[in-house]
Structure formats: structure tokens, C-alpha cells
Amino acid sequence: MELADKLRILTESAKYDVACTSSGTDRVCPSDGIGSACSSGLCHAFAGDGRCISLLKILMSNACCYDCAYCVNRVSNDVPRATLTPDEIADITINFYRRNYIEGLFLSSGVIGNPDNTMQLMIKTVELLRYKYKFYGYVHAKAIPGAKEHLIERMGMLVDRMSSNIELPSSESLRLLAPDKSKKDVLAPMRYISGKLKEKTKGFASSGQSTQMIIGATPESDLQIISLAEGLYSGYGLRRVFYSAYVAVADNSNLPAVGTSPPLLREHRLYQADWLMRYYGFKSYEILDKDRPYFNEYLDPKCNWAVNHPEFFPVDVNRADYERLLRVPGIGVKSARRILTARRYGRLDADALRRLGVVMKRAKYFIEGGMGISAADRPSAAAAALSAIGRAESAVQLSMFDVLPALGQTAPIEV
């Protein structure tokens, strides 16, 4: 098989893995090396599936010996197979870099024979880049579940970021759909990487680790998913949890039928909730609870929380602390910091808030001096104003009478 054909097959096979951001690392290039990686991230490019990347995103092999039902590369699936050698991947990466096609490499692989063999081949690839070609650009590599710890450590000393995909949100789903994997094998490399990072081992995966969950292939609720993500952030110190809307590629009674649309809105809501937990001080139980375990289709998680917690509002932007400001729809991390700085020099009115980046069409319902509406009317007015997203297919502005039932209300919310 020609090298170009292998490259086409293996880049196509890698597109379902979204856990490949590249910010948060600084690698200094010596005078005799090429490439660099910086904490501000890499230059942008666009993959065939629309994701913004600047990495050569590739599998070493899609000839996997595992039979995960949700995976297009499962051993029982009849698809074209290809395997690249370490020398071929290193040569492709360097040639693409010199042509300014890419800024770095995202390397993963199907399991070639067994996890240890796969990790050894991936390690050899990165060693060629670092030592033979003196490439100091960004490299993100996957830790293969089940591989020995000393191989995980060797890889960690070579790359900027590592990831070990948790794949499915529960042990039961993993047992049902990925019989060759176990929760222990999936979490073991994540735990080991976390330990090395906590020890601040010099040169080990300076950009930390990430993971990916497939969304919509199994019946777990949104609450279960964000609670798991919260636990991964606190327990393993992950930089990112990525959520990938399941693309139905397998004819299996335990999975959505082939042709089912990926749950893209749900994926979007998960990223919004993830952002709230990482940067806005929200806990998973605040965003969703056992009575409402799924995201609102019409409101983003922050607006949904605000509408359902009228006792928290209105907020005085001229006196509230940073954490309280972050709870106001329309006020983000940057605008909250700007407010804290600007109000030292005088009171802020609506025009000043707009200039600071506050989205007043949202914030005006939740701040003092905004709309001037009564407390009793505030939640229903906010629900009406914040419902513009509507259903993607209808593109119709919704009224509060449409939104309140979606919030679980049959009447305007009581204060």
C-alpha cells in the first residue's frame, strides 16, 4: 500500500478522537533544533470534519485487536486497514512541519497485538522526532489502557500532553460495549500520570493530561456525565474533559441506529457546563440535580440556573464580589474582572457595562437598575428574553409560555 493511501486511512480513522488541544506548555528549542511549543497554543488549521486544529492527527494503526462496539476501528468491522512504522510517521511529521502544514503531532493508535507493544511503537516514533530530527514542537500522545507503568513514564518524558480516554461514562456501559477493556485498565494510566504530575516530575507531560467521553451512545444522564467529569477534575487533576457526540457507525442493538443524528446540542451543553465548573465556581449538583438530570434544550446551563434561582438576584454590580458577578448571565470571566477594576473609579451604568463586554440583553434581568421590573416578574421575563436559541430546526423566537414548561414549570416561577 502506498504511503499516501495509508495516511488517508489513518487520518480518517483518527477524526473521532477530539481530545487534542495543545495549549498550556512551553518547550524551548535549542539552536540545533526545529519547532517550538508555547503556552498560548498553536496556529489554527481546520480538519475535514470542521474542528479547528494545527496538528497532524493520526493513528499509528487502525488494525485494532479490540472489539469495542462503538468504534469504527473495531476488529469485527470490515474497513480498510493500515499501519505506519515509527520511521514513516516521524518522516511525515517533519516534512509536513517544514512545509508549514502543521505545528505538531497528535498520535494515537488501535491496539496492535497488545497494549505494551503498541506503546513501545509509539514511544519509538516520538523518540525519532525528538532525538533524530531534534523536533521540539508540540506532541500529544495517547496512553494505551493496560500498558505497563514504565512505558507510560517513558512516553510522558517525551511528550507535552498525554491522554487516556475513559470513553464511556459508566462501568456498566464499558462492560456492555467494550468487553476487552475494564474500568481498572482505563483509569490506571490516568492515575499514574496524575501522580507524576503531582510530584512535579521535571519534563513529564508539562501540558498535563486530558480524556474523552463519548456522549449519546449509552443511556447515562447529563447529571451522571458532569458529575463524573467533576470527579475526574478533582481526583486526577485533568486539564480537560472532552465530550464527543456519538456518530452512529455500528449496527448494534445496544447503540443508536445507524443514521441517527449525533447529539450535537447535548455535546454543546456539556461543554458549557464544563466551563462553568472549571472557571465559574459551579458544582455539578448546582447545574443539574436528580429532579432535573438533563440539560434544558432552550437555555444554556448558566441561564437555566439563574432563572431557577431568583432568590440570588438582583446583583449589584457596583458592590458584588467576583464570585457573585460570575453567576450573572451575560457576565463572563473577563467582564467580571473588568468590572472589579472599573468600579474603583466610579459607579457603572448600563452603557459602561456594555463597554466592559457585558451582554446586557441577558444581564439586564439579573442586575440592579437593569429593567426595573418587579421581583415577581423577573424570572418569567428572563425566561422569555433568554429563549432565543429555540429549536435549531424551527428558528422561531419562543415565548415564555414555550420555555417555562421546558423548565419544569406550569406557571411563572415563584420568588
Side-chain angles (χ1 to χ4, degrees):
M1 184 182 293
E2 295 292 330
L3 184 60
D5 294 325
K6 289 184 180 181
L7 191 60
R8 176 184 55 79
I9 291 170
L10 294 172
T11 52
E12 175 71 15
S13 297
K15 73 179 183 180
Y16 297 105
D17 197 324
V18 299
C20 59
T21 57
S22 55
S23 59
T25 185
D26 287 282
R27 183 183 292 276
V28 178
C29 180
S31 58
D32 62 343
I34 62 173
S36 64
C38 62
S39 59
S40 59
L42 303 179
C43 299
H44 292 163
F46 291 91
D49 58 1
R51 289 187 172 91
C52 186
I53 61 170
S54 57
L55 310 175
L56 172 59
K57 186 178 180 184
I58 194 170
L59 297 182
M60 171 167 274
S61 176
N62 70 338
C64 186
C65 65
Y66 287 175
D67 199 21
C68 303
Y70 53 83
C71 182
V72 70
N73 299 313
R74 62 192 182 280
V75 67
S76 62
N77 198 25
D78 184 17
V79 294
R81 305 288 180 175
T83 299
L84 289 168
T85 67
D87 288 282
E88 286 175 327
I89 295 177
D91 185 63
I92 290 167
T93 302
I94 291 301
N95 277 287
F96 278 17
Y97 178 83
R98 286 172 173 161
R99 288 168 171 78
N100 203 31
Y101 295 162
I102 60 169
E103 292 273 350
L105 172 67
F106 174 83
L107 180 62
S108 185
S109 182
V111 179
I112 311 168
N114 60 68
D116 287 348
N117 178 61
T118 309
M119 282 300 298
Q120 287 169 344
L121 290 171
M122 293 173 66
I123 288 168
K124 184 176 180 181
T125 301
V126 185
E127 285 178 339
L128 285 170
L129 284 170
R130 297 303 195 205
Y131 303 140
K132 178 180 178 180
Y133 293 102
K134 299 186 183 297
F135 179 70
Y136 289 84
Y138 180 87
V139 178
H140 177 164
K142 279 301 176 66
I144 304 298
K148 291 185 174 61
E149 288 183 350
H150 75 274
L151 297 175
I152 303 293
E153 181 174 11
R154 280 178 61 193
M155 181 63 88
M157 298 302 295
L158 292 166
V159 301
D160 300 282
R161 174 169 286 186
M162 294 190 74
S163 54
S164 177
N165 283 357
I166 199 166
E167 300 289 12
L168 298 174
S170 72
S171 299
E172 176 59 25
S173 292
L174 195 67
R175 183 195 63 78
L176 184 65
L177 297 175
D180 301 301
K181 296 180 181 178
S182 69
K183 179 181 177 181
K184 178 182 177 181
D185 285 343
V186 170
L187 293 179
M190 192 182 296
R191 186 179 297 111
Y192 183 77
I193 295 167
S194 175
K196 299 295 289 186
L197 293 173
K198 287 178 181 177
E199 293 169 3
K200 300 188 183 300
T201 304
K202 186 176 180 181
F204 185 91
S206 60
S207 190
Q209 67 168 324
S210 59
T211 193
Q212 170 180 280
M213 276 190 275
I214 298 170
I215 305 306
T218 51
E220 292 83 9
S221 69
D222 296 326
L223 175 59
Q224 287 176 278
I225 293 168
I226 63 171
S227 297
L228 173 58
E230 186 176 49
L232 292 173
Y233 282 127
S234 61
Y236 295 90
L238 267 65
R239 289 288 184 90
R240 288 292 304 273
V241 175
F242 290 86
Y243 309 93
S244 179
Y246 175 65
V247 179
V249 295
D251 187 9
N252 187 298
S253 60
N254 294 313
L255 291 167
V258 174
T260 302
S261 297
L264 297 177
L265 178 58
R266 187 183 185 192
E267 178 190 281
H268 181 59
R269 290 283 184 251
L270 283 164
Y271 277 115
Q272 290 175 320
D274 189 274
W275 202 263
L276 292 181
M277 292 190 295
R278 289 192 296 135
Y279 296 111
Y280 286 73
F282 281 79
K283 300 296 183 183
S284 60
Y285 61 81
E286 294 181 283
I287 300 170
L288 296 170
D289 56 46
K290 63 181 181 180
D291 296 322
R292 293 176 183 172
Y294 292 93
F295 291 116
N296 190 304
E297 184 178 354
Y298 303 99
L299 299 181
D300 68 72
K302 184 179 178 183
C303 290
N304 193 52
W305 178 87
V307 167
N308 283 288
H309 290 82
E311 73 282 356
F312 189 87
F313 303 99
V315 170
D316 183 353
V317 295
N318 287 289
R319 303 186 64 179
D321 60 21
Y322 177 71
E323 288 72 22
R324 193 172 180 85
L325 288 172
L326 286 179
R327 297 274 168 150
V328 178
I331 296 180
V333 172
K334 289 184 179 179
S335 54
R337 290 173 179 165
R338 290 169 182 165
I339 287 170
L340 294 178
T341 300
R343 71 188 188 187
R344 298 174 188 170
Y345 305 100
R347 285 190 62 81
L348 304 177
D349 57 17
D351 288 337
L353 291 174
R354 287 190 185 93
R355 289 194 294 271
L356 294 174
V358 175
V359 182
M360 286 301 295
K361 67 181 180 180
R362 295 189 171 199
K364 64 186 178 183
Y365 294 105
F366 302 99
I367 60 176
E368 288 189 359
M371 287 289 290
I373 57 177
S374 68
D377 292 334
R378 187 181 306 276
S380 55
L386 299 175
S387 64
I389 182 171
R391 293 182 180 271
E393 65 270 19
S394 65
V396 175
Q397 172 75 27
L398 298 175
S399 74
M400 65 180 175
F401 302 105
D402 297 308
V403 174
L404 291 176
L407 295 171
Q409 306 291 329
T410 57
I413 303 169
E414 297 293 336
V415 177

